[in-house]
Amino acid sequence: MASNTKEQILNAAEMLFAEHGFADTSLRAITQAAKVNLASVNYHFGSKKLLIQAVLQRYLDVLMPEIDHQLTIMLEKNESPTTEQLMTTLVDPLLSLNRVRPNGTATFVQLLGRGYTETQGHLRRFMTVNFGDVLGRFMGIIQDVVPGLSAADLFWRLHFAMGTFVFSMASSQALGEIAAADYQEDFDIKNVIEKLVRYISAGLDAPAN
Amino acid sequence: MASNTKEQILNAAEMLFAEHGFADTSLRAITQAAKVNLASVNYHFGSKKLLIQAVLQRYLDVLMPEIDHQLTIMLEKNESPTTEQLMTTLVDPLLSLNRVRPNGTATFVQLLGRGYTETQGHLRRFMTVNFGDVLGRFMGIIQDVVPGLSAADLFWRLHFAMGTFVFSMASSQALGEIAAADYQEDFDIKNVIEKLVRYISAGLDAPAN
DNA sequence: CAGTGTTTGAAACAAGCGTTTAAATTTACG
DNA sequence: CGTAAATTTAAACGCTTGTTTCAAACACTG
Protein backbone atom coordinates (compact mmCIF):
# COMPACT_ATOMS: atom_id res chain seq x y z
CA MET A 1 0.00 0.00 0.00
CA ALA A 2 1.00 3.60 -0.52
CA SER A 3 2.76 5.24 2.39
CA ASN A 4 0.76 7.86 4.19
CA THR A 5 3.81 10.06 4.52
CA LYS A 6 2.72 11.93 1.41
CA GLU A 7 -0.69 12.67 2.83
CA GLN A 8 0.65 13.64 6.21
CA ILE A 9 2.90 16.13 4.47
CA LEU A 10 0.07 17.48 2.32
CA ASN A 11 -2.21 17.89 5.32
CA ALA A 12 0.36 19.61 7.46
CA ALA A 13 1.56 21.76 4.58
CA GLU A 14 -1.86 23.05 3.56
CA MET A 15 -2.64 24.08 7.11
CA LEU A 16 0.63 25.94 7.56
CA PHE A 17 0.53 27.46 4.08
CA ALA A 18 -2.99 28.76 4.66
CA GLU A 19 -2.04 30.20 8.01
CA HIS A 20 1.37 31.73 7.34
CA GLY A 21 1.75 31.86 3.57
CA PHE A 22 4.03 29.89 1.32
CA ALA A 23 7.23 31.84 1.74
CA ASP A 24 6.94 32.03 5.51
CA THR A 25 6.39 28.32 5.98
CA SER A 26 9.63 26.34 6.04
CA LEU A 27 9.97 22.71 5.12
CA ARG A 28 11.25 22.14 8.62
CA ALA A 29 8.02 23.46 10.08
CA ILE A 30 5.99 21.26 7.75
CA THR A 31 7.91 18.06 8.35
CA GLN A 32 7.88 18.67 12.08
CA ALA A 33 4.10 19.15 12.09
CA ALA A 34 3.67 16.10 9.87
CA LYS A 35 6.02 14.08 12.08
CA VAL A 36 8.10 12.96 9.12
CA ASN A 37 11.69 13.40 8.14
CA LEU A 38 12.84 16.64 6.56
CA ALA A 39 14.11 14.89 3.46
CA SER A 40 10.80 13.24 2.66
CA VAL A 41 9.36 16.37 1.08
CA ASN A 42 12.05 16.37 -1.55
CA TYR A 43 11.80 12.61 -1.86
CA HIS A 44 8.04 12.53 -2.42
CA PHE A 45 7.43 15.87 -4.14
CA GLY A 46 10.78 16.88 -5.60
CA SER A 47 10.83 20.41 -4.25
CA LYS A 48 8.94 22.92 -2.17
CA LYS A 49 7.50 24.47 -5.31
CA LEU A 50 6.00 21.18 -6.40
CA LEU A 51 4.66 20.56 -2.90
CA ILE A 52 2.80 23.86 -3.05
CA GLN A 53 1.31 22.87 -6.37
CA ALA A 54 0.34 19.43 -5.09
CA VAL A 55 -1.49 21.03 -2.19
CA LEU A 56 -3.53 23.16 -4.58
CA GLN A 57 -4.02 20.33 -7.05
CA ARG A 58 -6.04 18.30 -4.55
CA TYR A 59 -8.62 21.06 -4.48
CA LEU A 60 -8.52 22.15 -8.10
CA ASP A 61 -9.23 18.62 -9.27
CA VAL A 62 -12.54 18.75 -7.44
CA LEU A 63 -13.39 22.42 -7.86
CA MET A 64 -12.90 22.92 -11.57
CA PRO A 65 -15.14 20.13 -12.90
CA GLU A 66 -17.73 21.15 -10.34
CA ILE A 67 -17.79 24.76 -11.55
CA ASP A 68 -18.00 23.56 -15.11
CA HIS A 69 -20.94 21.36 -14.19
CA GLN A 70 -22.78 24.13 -12.35
CA LEU A 71 -22.29 26.51 -15.25
CA THR A 72 -23.87 24.00 -17.61
CA ILE A 73 -26.85 23.44 -15.31
CA MET A 74 -27.37 27.14 -14.81
CA LEU A 75 -27.27 27.95 -18.52
CA GLU A 76 -29.71 25.17 -19.29
CA LYS A 77 -32.23 26.63 -16.88
CA ASN A 78 -31.57 30.25 -17.71
CA GLU A 79 -29.94 31.47 -20.87
CA SER A 80 -29.48 35.03 -19.70
CA PRO A 81 -28.73 35.05 -15.98
CA THR A 82 -28.11 38.09 -13.83
CA THR A 83 -24.62 38.84 -12.64
CA GLU A 84 -25.49 37.64 -9.18
CA GLN A 85 -26.95 34.41 -10.54
CA LEU A 86 -23.73 33.80 -12.44
CA MET A 87 -21.57 34.51 -9.43
CA THR A 88 -23.78 32.25 -7.34
CA THR A 89 -22.83 29.25 -9.46
CA LEU A 90 -19.47 29.42 -7.71
CA VAL A 91 -20.90 28.95 -4.25
CA ASP A 92 -21.77 25.26 -4.34
CA PRO A 93 -18.51 24.19 -5.95
CA LEU A 94 -16.60 26.09 -3.30
CA LEU A 95 -18.63 24.53 -0.52
CA SER A 96 -18.11 21.07 -2.01
CA LEU A 97 -14.45 21.39 -1.02
CA ASN A 98 -15.48 20.64 2.52
CA ARG A 99 -15.76 17.07 1.31
CA VAL A 100 -12.14 17.07 0.16
CA ARG A 101 -10.84 17.88 3.59
CA PRO A 102 -12.33 19.03 6.88
CA ASN A 103 -12.69 22.81 6.63
CA GLY A 104 -11.61 22.45 3.01
CA THR A 105 -13.52 25.44 1.64
CA ALA A 106 -12.01 27.92 4.03
CA THR A 107 -8.58 26.39 3.67
CA PHE A 108 -8.69 26.47 -0.11
CA VAL A 109 -9.84 30.05 -0.45
CA GLN A 110 -7.11 31.10 1.91
CA LEU A 111 -4.56 29.23 -0.16
CA LEU A 112 -5.99 30.84 -3.28
CA GLY A 113 -5.56 34.25 -1.72
CA ARG A 114 -2.00 33.46 -0.78
CA GLY A 115 -1.25 32.14 -4.23
CA TYR A 116 -2.63 35.18 -5.94
CA THR A 117 -1.04 37.54 -3.49
CA GLU A 118 2.45 36.22 -3.00
CA THR A 119 4.78 36.94 -5.83
CA GLN A 120 5.45 33.37 -6.78
CA GLY A 121 5.70 33.36 -10.55
CA HIS A 122 5.31 29.62 -10.81
CA LEU A 123 1.99 29.71 -8.97
CA ARG A 124 0.34 32.19 -11.29
CA ARG A 125 1.42 30.00 -14.18
CA PHE A 126 0.28 26.81 -12.47
CA MET A 127 -3.11 28.29 -11.69
CA THR A 128 -3.60 29.51 -15.23
CA VAL A 129 -2.86 26.09 -16.63
CA ASN A 130 -5.23 24.40 -14.20
CA PHE A 131 -7.96 27.05 -14.18
CA GLY A 132 -7.57 27.72 -17.88
CA ASP A 133 -10.53 26.07 -19.56
CA VAL A 134 -13.16 26.55 -16.91
CA LEU A 135 -12.17 30.06 -15.97
CA GLY A 136 -12.11 30.98 -19.63
CA ARG A 137 -15.65 29.74 -19.98
CA PHE A 138 -16.72 31.70 -16.92
CA MET A 139 -15.14 34.87 -18.28
CA GLY A 140 -16.84 34.37 -21.60
CA ILE A 141 -20.24 34.16 -19.97
CA ILE A 142 -19.69 37.16 -17.75
CA GLN A 143 -19.09 39.37 -20.76
CA ASP A 144 -22.62 38.72 -21.94
CA VAL A 145 -24.08 39.22 -18.49
CA VAL A 146 -22.59 42.46 -17.20
CA PRO A 147 -24.46 45.27 -18.86
CA GLY A 148 -23.16 48.13 -20.97
CA LEU A 149 -19.46 48.35 -20.20
CA SER A 150 -16.66 49.00 -22.64
CA ALA A 151 -14.11 46.23 -23.02
CA ALA A 152 -11.59 48.22 -21.00
CA ASP A 153 -14.10 48.97 -18.25
CA LEU A 154 -15.08 45.32 -18.05
CA PHE A 155 -11.43 44.38 -17.82
CA TRP A 156 -10.96 46.62 -14.81
CA ARG A 157 -14.18 45.52 -13.16
CA LEU A 158 -13.27 41.88 -13.48
CA HIS A 159 -9.94 42.42 -11.86
CA PHE A 160 -11.51 44.45 -9.10
CA ALA A 161 -13.89 41.56 -8.55
CA MET A 162 -11.10 39.03 -8.59
CA GLY A 163 -9.19 41.16 -6.11
CA THR A 164 -12.15 41.47 -3.81
CA PHE A 165 -12.77 37.79 -3.81
CA VAL A 166 -9.22 36.64 -3.41
CA PHE A 167 -8.25 39.19 -0.83
CA SER A 168 -11.34 38.71 1.27
CA MET A 169 -10.91 34.99 1.19
CA ALA A 170 -7.29 35.27 2.21
CA SER A 171 -8.28 37.18 5.30
CA SER A 172 -11.59 35.41 5.85
CA GLN A 173 -10.38 33.37 8.77
CA ALA A 174 -9.00 36.31 10.72
CA LEU A 175 -12.00 38.49 9.91
CA GLY A 176 -14.37 35.68 10.81
CA GLU A 177 -12.85 35.43 14.25
CA ILE A 178 -13.19 39.16 14.81
CA ALA A 179 -16.78 39.13 13.59
CA ALA A 180 -17.56 36.18 15.80
CA ALA A 181 -16.19 37.97 18.84
CA ASP A 182 -17.74 41.37 18.13
CA TYR A 183 -21.13 40.41 16.72
CA GLN A 184 -21.77 36.98 18.22
CA GLU A 185 -21.96 35.57 14.72
CA ASP A 186 -20.82 32.04 14.18
CA PHE A 187 -18.12 31.96 11.57
CA ASP A 188 -19.82 30.42 8.59
CA ILE A 189 -17.87 30.37 5.37
CA LYS A 190 -21.07 29.85 3.39
CA ASN A 191 -22.51 33.02 4.83
CA VAL A 192 -19.38 35.02 4.05
CA ILE A 193 -19.29 33.77 0.48
CA GLU A 194 -22.90 34.79 -0.03
CA LYS A 195 -22.25 38.26 1.34
CA LEU A 196 -19.27 38.46 -0.96
CA VAL A 197 -21.31 37.44 -3.99
CA ARG A 198 -23.83 40.18 -3.27
CA TYR A 199 -21.11 42.79 -2.89
CA ILE A 200 -19.18 41.78 -5.99
CA SER A 201 -22.27 41.52 -8.15
CA ALA A 202 -23.36 45.02 -7.22
CA GLY A 203 -19.90 46.32 -8.03
CA LEU A 204 -19.87 44.62 -11.40
CA ASP A 205 -23.31 45.95 -12.25
CA ALA A 206 -22.52 49.57 -11.37
CA PRO A 207 -23.01 52.04 -14.22
CA ALA A 208 -19.82 52.92 -16.09
CA ASN A 209 -17.98 56.10 -15.14
CA MET B 1 24.28 69.31 5.64
CA ALA B 2 22.49 66.02 5.81
CA SER B 3 23.95 63.19 3.77
CA ASN B 4 21.87 62.07 0.86
CA THR B 5 22.63 58.44 1.60
CA LYS B 6 19.42 58.23 3.59
CA GLU B 7 17.36 59.48 0.68
CA GLN B 8 19.12 57.30 -1.85
CA ILE B 9 18.28 54.32 0.34
CA LEU B 10 14.65 55.39 0.75
CA ASN B 11 14.23 55.93 -2.98
CA ALA B 12 15.78 52.65 -3.96
CA ALA B 13 13.96 50.79 -1.21
CA GLU B 14 10.49 52.07 -2.05
CA MET B 15 10.91 51.10 -5.68
CA LEU B 16 12.07 47.59 -4.89
CA PHE B 17 9.54 47.11 -2.10
CA ALA B 18 6.71 48.16 -4.39
CA GLU B 19 7.90 45.85 -7.12
CA HIS B 20 8.89 42.72 -5.22
CA GLY B 21 7.38 43.06 -1.77
CA PHE B 22 9.10 43.60 1.54
CA ALA B 23 10.16 40.06 2.32
CA ASP B 24 11.51 39.41 -1.15
CA THR B 25 13.66 42.52 -1.24
CA SER B 26 17.00 42.07 0.48
CA LEU B 27 19.07 44.83 1.99
CA ARG B 28 21.80 43.82 -0.38
CA ALA B 29 19.55 44.51 -3.36
CA ILE B 30 18.55 47.87 -1.91
CA THR B 31 22.05 49.07 -1.10
CA GLN B 32 23.29 47.92 -4.47
CA ALA B 33 20.56 49.85 -6.28
CA ALA B 34 21.19 52.88 -4.07
CA LYS B 35 24.95 52.57 -4.63
CA VAL B 36 25.68 52.71 -0.93
CA ASN B 37 27.30 50.34 1.51
CA LEU B 38 25.31 47.44 2.93
CA ALA B 39 25.85 48.58 6.49
CA SER B 40 24.39 52.05 5.94
CA VAL B 41 20.82 50.81 6.20
CA ASN B 42 21.42 49.67 9.74
CA TYR B 43 23.46 52.77 10.45
CA HIS B 44 20.81 55.22 9.26
CA PHE B 45 17.60 53.34 10.00
CA GLY B 46 18.51 50.78 12.65
CA SER B 47 16.95 47.78 10.96
CA LYS B 48 15.08 46.62 7.89
CA LYS B 49 11.80 46.85 9.78
CA LEU B 50 12.40 50.51 10.54
CA LEU B 51 13.44 51.18 6.96
CA ILE B 52 10.11 49.80 5.74
CA GLN B 53 8.30 52.07 8.16
CA ALA B 54 10.37 55.08 7.10
CA VAL B 55 9.47 54.44 3.48
CA LEU B 56 5.77 54.48 4.33
CA GLN B 57 6.11 57.39 6.72
CA ARG B 58 7.16 59.75 3.94
CA TYR B 59 3.79 59.19 2.30
CA LEU B 60 1.59 58.93 5.36
CA ASP B 61 2.81 62.27 6.64
CA VAL B 62 1.36 63.88 3.53
CA LEU B 63 -1.65 61.65 2.95
CA MET B 64 -3.28 61.61 6.35
CA PRO B 65 -3.57 65.36 6.97
CA GLU B 66 -4.77 65.72 3.41
CA ILE B 67 -7.58 63.19 3.88
CA ASP B 68 -8.55 64.84 7.13
CA HIS B 69 -8.70 68.18 5.38
CA GLN B 70 -10.81 66.88 2.50
CA LEU B 71 -13.24 65.23 4.88
CA THR B 72 -13.76 68.51 6.67
CA ILE B 73 -14.35 70.39 3.42
CA MET B 74 -16.76 67.79 2.17
CA LEU B 75 -18.82 67.70 5.36
CA GLU B 76 -19.03 71.47 5.41
CA LYS B 77 -20.55 71.49 1.93
CA ASN B 78 -22.71 68.43 2.39
CA GLU B 79 -23.77 67.01 5.71
CA SER B 80 -25.14 63.76 4.32
CA PRO B 81 -23.05 62.69 1.36
CA THR B 82 -23.57 59.60 -0.75
CA THR B 83 -21.22 56.68 -0.39
CA GLU B 84 -19.54 57.59 -3.64
CA GLN B 85 -19.09 61.19 -2.57
CA LEU B 86 -17.46 60.00 0.62
CA MET B 87 -15.14 57.64 -1.21
CA THR B 88 -14.29 60.38 -3.66
CA THR B 89 -12.74 62.45 -0.88
CA LEU B 90 -9.87 59.97 -0.97
CA VAL B 91 -9.01 60.64 -4.59
CA ASP B 92 -7.32 64.03 -4.32
CA PRO B 93 -5.23 63.12 -1.27
CA LEU B 94 -4.00 60.03 -3.07
CA LEU B 95 -3.13 62.00 -6.18
CA SER B 96 -1.29 64.57 -4.09
CA LEU B 97 1.32 61.91 -3.38
CA ASN B 98 2.67 62.50 -6.85
CA ARG B 99 4.16 65.62 -5.35
CA VAL B 100 6.02 63.61 -2.73
CA ARG B 101 7.88 61.57 -5.30
CA PRO B 102 7.63 61.01 -9.04
CA ASN B 103 4.92 58.40 -9.56
CA GLY B 104 4.26 58.63 -5.84
CA THR B 105 0.57 57.74 -5.95
CA ALA B 106 1.07 54.48 -7.77
CA THR B 107 4.09 53.60 -5.68
CA PHE B 108 2.32 54.29 -2.40
CA VAL B 109 -0.80 52.29 -3.18
CA GLN B 110 1.38 49.39 -4.21
CA LEU B 111 3.28 49.63 -0.96
CA LEU B 112 -0.02 49.80 0.90
CA GLY B 113 -1.16 46.64 -0.80
CA ARG B 114 2.07 44.92 0.10
CA GLY B 115 1.82 46.06 3.67
CA TYR B 116 -1.71 44.87 4.06
CA THR B 117 -1.05 41.65 2.26
CA GLU B 118 2.25 40.45 3.64
CA THR B 119 2.04 38.98 7.08
CA GLN B 120 4.30 41.50 8.75
CA GLY B 121 2.85 42.03 12.18
CA HIS B 122 4.78 45.20 12.81
CA LEU B 123 3.36 46.83 9.69
CA ARG B 124 -0.25 46.32 10.61
CA ARG B 125 0.55 47.86 13.96
CA PHE B 126 2.53 50.71 12.45
CA MET B 127 -0.27 51.49 10.01
CA THR B 128 -2.91 51.48 12.72
CA VAL B 129 -0.91 53.90 14.81
CA ASN B 130 -0.34 56.22 11.87
CA PHE B 131 -3.71 55.86 10.21
CA GLY B 132 -5.49 55.73 13.52
CA ASP B 133 -7.19 59.07 13.95
CA VAL B 134 -8.05 59.87 10.37
CA LEU B 135 -9.11 56.39 9.42
CA GLY B 136 -11.25 56.23 12.52
CA ARG B 137 -12.96 59.42 11.47
CA PHE B 138 -13.54 58.05 7.98
CA MET B 139 -15.04 54.87 9.38
CA GLY B 140 -17.30 56.84 11.65
CA ILE B 141 -18.70 58.81 8.74
CA ILE B 142 -19.20 55.79 6.54
CA GLN B 143 -21.47 54.20 9.11
CA ASP B 144 -23.92 57.06 8.71
CA VAL B 145 -23.67 56.99 4.95
CA VAL B 146 -24.09 53.37 3.97
CA PRO B 147 -27.79 52.60 4.17
CA GLY B 148 -29.57 49.95 6.16
CA LEU B 149 -26.96 47.36 7.06
CA SER B 150 -26.58 45.54 10.33
CA ALA B 151 -23.37 46.18 12.21
CA ALA B 152 -22.06 42.77 11.20
CA ASP B 153 -22.97 43.29 7.55
CA LEU B 154 -21.29 46.68 7.53
CA PHE B 155 -18.21 45.11 9.09
CA TRP B 156 -17.96 42.64 6.26
CA ARG B 157 -18.69 45.19 3.56
CA LEU B 158 -15.98 47.51 4.84
CA HIS B 159 -13.43 44.77 4.78
CA PHE B 160 -14.50 43.73 1.32
CA ALA B 161 -14.05 47.34 0.25
CA MET B 162 -10.68 47.58 1.94
CA GLY B 163 -9.64 44.39 0.25
CA THR B 164 -10.81 45.56 -3.14
CA PHE B 165 -8.94 48.79 -2.84
CA VAL B 166 -5.73 47.45 -1.46
CA PHE B 167 -5.53 44.46 -3.72
CA SER B 168 -6.41 46.35 -6.86
CA MET B 169 -3.88 49.00 -6.05
CA ALA B 170 -1.21 46.43 -5.39
CA SER B 171 -1.67 45.01 -8.87
CA SER B 172 -2.54 48.30 -10.54
CA GLN B 173 0.81 48.67 -12.22
CA ALA B 174 0.77 45.24 -13.84
CA LEU B 175 -2.90 45.53 -14.79
CA GLY B 176 -2.34 49.00 -16.18
CA GLU B 177 0.30 47.72 -18.52
CA ILE B 178 -1.98 44.97 -19.77
CA ALA B 179 -4.86 47.37 -20.23
CA ALA B 180 -2.62 49.80 -22.06
CA ALA B 181 -1.47 47.09 -24.44
CA ASP B 182 -4.89 45.54 -25.03
CA TYR B 183 -7.15 48.58 -25.11
CA GLN B 184 -4.80 51.39 -26.17
CA GLU B 185 -5.56 53.14 -22.91
CA ASP B 186 -2.88 55.26 -21.37
CA PHE B 187 -2.17 54.07 -17.86
CA ASP B 188 -3.61 56.77 -15.70
CA ILE B 189 -3.71 56.10 -11.99
CA LYS B 190 -6.34 58.80 -11.53
CA ASN B 191 -8.62 57.04 -13.96
CA VAL B 192 -8.15 53.70 -12.24
CA ILE B 193 -8.88 55.18 -8.83
CA GLU B 194 -12.09 56.71 -10.14
CA LYS B 195 -13.22 53.39 -11.61
CA LEU B 196 -12.39 51.79 -8.31
CA VAL B 197 -14.40 54.32 -6.36
CA ARG B 198 -17.43 53.63 -8.54
CA TYR B 199 -17.10 49.87 -8.10
CA ILE B 200 -16.56 49.99 -4.35
CA SER B 201 -19.39 52.45 -3.75
CA ALA B 202 -21.83 50.25 -5.62
CA GLY B 203 -20.72 47.24 -3.59
CA LEU B 204 -21.10 49.09 -0.32
CA ASP B 205 -24.56 50.32 -1.29
CA ALA B 206 -25.88 46.90 -2.32
CA PRO B 207 -28.97 45.76 -0.39
CA ALA B 208 -28.24 43.44 2.50
CA ASN B 209 -28.58 39.68 1.97
C1' DC C 1 13.86 -16.70 3.17
C1' DA C 2 16.89 -14.22 0.25
C1' DG C 3 17.30 -10.36 -2.43
C1' DT C 4 15.69 -6.20 -4.62
C1' DG C 5 13.59 -1.83 -4.80
C1' DT C 6 11.37 1.66 -1.96
C1' DT C 7 11.23 4.61 1.88
C1' DT C 8 13.18 6.76 6.02
C1' DG C 9 16.86 8.82 8.91
C1' DA C 10 20.60 11.91 10.57
C1' DA C 11 23.78 14.82 8.92
C1' DA C 12 25.89 17.95 6.07
C1' DC C 13 25.93 21.34 2.24
C1' DA C 14 25.92 25.74 -0.14
C1' DA C 15 23.62 29.94 -0.41
C1' DG C 16 21.28 33.88 1.26
C1' DC C 17 19.67 36.61 4.91
C1' DG C 18 19.88 40.73 8.55
C1' DT C 19 23.09 42.44 11.55
C1' DT C 20 27.55 43.71 13.83
C1' DT C 21 32.24 45.00 14.09
C1' DA C 22 36.14 47.85 13.80
C1' DA C 23 39.10 50.26 10.96
C1' DA C 24 39.36 53.88 7.32
C1' DT C 25 37.69 57.96 5.57
C1' DT C 26 35.21 62.18 5.31
C1' DT C 27 33.08 66.12 7.43
C1' DA C 28 32.47 69.83 10.69
C1' DC C 29 34.11 73.10 13.98
C1' DG C 30 36.89 75.61 17.63
C1' DC D 1 45.06 73.61 11.13
C1' DG D 2 44.01 69.86 14.19
C1' DT D 3 40.94 67.24 16.53
C1' DA D 4 36.57 65.17 17.39
C1' DA D 5 32.49 63.49 15.56
C1' DA D 6 29.94 61.49 11.80
C1' DT D 7 29.91 58.53 8.03
C1' DT D 8 31.48 54.91 4.92
C1' DT D 9 33.81 50.69 4.11
C1' DA D 10 35.01 45.66 3.89
C1' DA D 11 34.67 41.72 6.35
C1' DA D 12 32.75 38.57 9.20
C1' DC D 13 29.09 36.64 12.29
C1' DG D 14 25.28 33.68 13.40
C1' DC D 15 21.25 31.92 11.64
C1' DT D 16 17.80 29.93 8.52
C1' DT D 17 16.67 28.30 4.22
C1' DG D 18 15.95 24.40 0.44
C1' DT D 19 18.38 20.64 -1.08
C1' DT D 20 21.55 16.55 -1.25
C1' DT D 21 23.89 12.61 0.49
C1' DC D 22 24.28 7.95 1.82
C1' DA D 23 23.62 4.47 5.08
C1' DA D 24 19.90 2.10 7.70
C1' DA D 25 15.31 0.19 7.85
C1' DC D 26 11.48 -1.47 5.60
C1' DA D 27 8.33 -3.77 2.19
C1' DC D 28 7.50 -6.69 -1.21
C1' DT D 29 8.36 -10.48 -4.65
C1' DG D 30 10.36 -14.71 -6.69
Side-chain angles (χ1 to χ4, degrees):
Chain A
M1 68 155 269
S3 80
N4 58 355
T5 302
K6 256 179 119 160
E7 276 200 19
Q8 287 174 277
I9 292 174
L10 283 173
N11 295 345
E14 76 166 23
M15 207 192 71
L16 292 169
F17 283 154
E19 198 164 343
H20 303 113
F22 300 115
D24 288 347
T25 301
S26 69
L27 293 185
R28 282 167 178 80
I30 293 170
T31 52
Q32 191 174 331
K35 291 174 191 151
V36 302
N37 188 271
L38 168 61
S40 32
V41 170
N42 283 277
Y43 177 77
H44 283 287
F45 296 93
S47 69
K48 184 181 181 180
K49 248 194 242 194
L50 291 172
L51 170 62
I52 295 174
Q53 298 183 4
V55 165
L56 289 170
Q57 191 80 60
R58 274 209 293 193
Y59 288 102
L60 293 177
D61 285 346
V62 173
L63 181 68
M64 286 301 131
E66 191 65 28
I67 290 179
D68 199 56
H69 182 58
Q70 291 292 333
L71 281 179
T72 303
I73 291 181
M74 196 266 291
L75 288 179
E76 274 172 8
K77 286 196 213 150
N78 186 353
E79 276 186 35
S80 43
T82 64
T83 305
E84 185 160 340
Q85 283 169 340
L86 176 57
M87 302 303 286
T88 303
T89 57
L90 299 178
V91 176
D92 281 350
L94 283 169
L95 293 176
S96 77
L97 299 182
N98 280 327
R99 289 196 293 273
V100 175
R101 290 266 304 145
N103 203 32
T105 301
T107 304
F108 172 75
V109 294
Q110 283 183 267
L111 291 172
L112 188 63
R114 300 283 187 190
Y116 208 91
T117 269
E118 294 192 19
T119 51
Q120 309 242 16
H122 73 99
L123 256 188
R124 199 76 70 108
R125 234 175 302 119
F126 172 79
M127 300 278 224
T128 311
V129 171
N130 276 272
F131 272 71
D133 297 349
V134 179
L135 209 60
R137 186 177 177 208
F138 189 85
M139 290 298 178
I141 298 172
I142 215 173
Q143 287 183 358
D144 304 332
V145 164
V146 173
L149 291 183
S150 70
D153 277 350
L154 182 62
F155 167 88
W156 283 105
R157 288 277 171 87
L158 282 177
H159 281 93
F160 293 161
M162 188 96 75
T164 309
F165 180 77
V166 161
F167 188 93
S168 300
M169 291 298 96
S171 13
S172 63
Q173 193 71 37
L175 293 180
E177 283 161 15
I178 298 172
D182 290 5
Y183 308 109
Q184 288 80 43
E185 274 195 349
D186 284 344
F187 176 64
D188 178 3
I189 188 73
K190 179 166 189 284
N191 196 250
V192 176
I193 290 176
E194 281 165 355
K195 287 188 203 299
L196 199 42
V197 164
R198 171 63 56 88
Y199 171 92
I200 289 177
S201 302
L204 285 173
D205 284 339
N209 310 45
Chain B
M1 65 156 272
S3 79
N4 59 353
T5 302
K6 259 179 115 158
E7 275 200 20
Q8 285 174 276
I9 292 175
L10 284 172
N11 295 345
E14 77 166 22
M15 208 192 70
L16 292 169
F17 284 153
E19 198 164 343
H20 303 113
F22 301 114
D24 288 348
T25 300
S26 69
L27 294 185
R28 283 168 177 79
I30 293 169
T31 51
Q32 192 174 331
K35 292 176 189 149
V36 301
N37 189 271
L38 169 60
S40 26
V41 169
N42 283 276
Y43 177 77
H44 284 286
F45 296 95
S47 69
K48 183 180 181 179
K49 245 193 242 191
L50 292 172
L51 170 61
I52 295 174
Q53 299 183 4
V55 165
L56 290 170
Q57 192 80 60
R58 272 210 292 194
Y59 288 103
L60 294 176
D61 284 346
V62 173
L63 181 69
M64 286 302 130
E66 192 64 28
I67 290 179
D68 199 57
H69 181 59
Q70 291 293 332
L71 282 178
T72 303
I73 290 181
M74 196 266 291
L75 288 179
E76 273 172 9
K77 285 196 211 149
N78 186 351
E79 276 185 34
S80 43
T82 65
T83 305
E84 187 161 338
Q85 284 168 338
L86 176 57
M87 302 302 287
T88 302
T89 57
L90 299 178
V91 176
D92 280 349
L94 282 169
L95 293 176
S96 76
L97 299 183
N98 280 328
R99 290 195 293 273
V100 175
R101 289 266 304 146
N103 203 33
T105 302
T107 304
F108 172 74
V109 294
Q110 281 183 269
L111 291 171
L112 188 64
R114 300 284 187 190
Y116 208 91
T117 268
E118 294 191 19
T119 51
Q120 307 243 16
H122 73 97
L123 257 189
R124 200 76 69 108
R125 237 175 300 117
F126 172 77
M127 300 277 223
T128 312
V129 170
N130 278 271
F131 272 72
D133 296 349
V134 179
L135 208 62
R137 188 177 175 206
F138 189 84
M139 290 298 178
I141 298 172
I142 214 172
Q143 286 183 359
D144 303 333
V145 164
V146 174
L149 293 181
S150 70
D153 277 351
L154 181 62
F155 168 87
W156 283 105
R157 288 277 171 87
L158 281 178
H159 281 94
F160 294 162
M162 188 98 75
T164 308
F165 180 77
V166 161
F167 188 93
S168 301
M169 291 297 96
S171 12
S172 62
Q173 193 71 35
L175 294 179
E177 283 161 17
I178 298 172
D182 289 6
Y183 308 109
Q184 288 79 43
E185 275 196 348
D186 284 345
F187 176 64
D188 178 2
I189 188 72
K190 180 168 190 282
N191 196 249
V192 176
I193 290 176
E194 281 165 356
K195 286 187 201 303
L196 198 42
V197 164
R198 171 65 54 88
Y199 170 92
I200 289 177
S201 301
L204 285 173
D205 284 339
N209 311 44

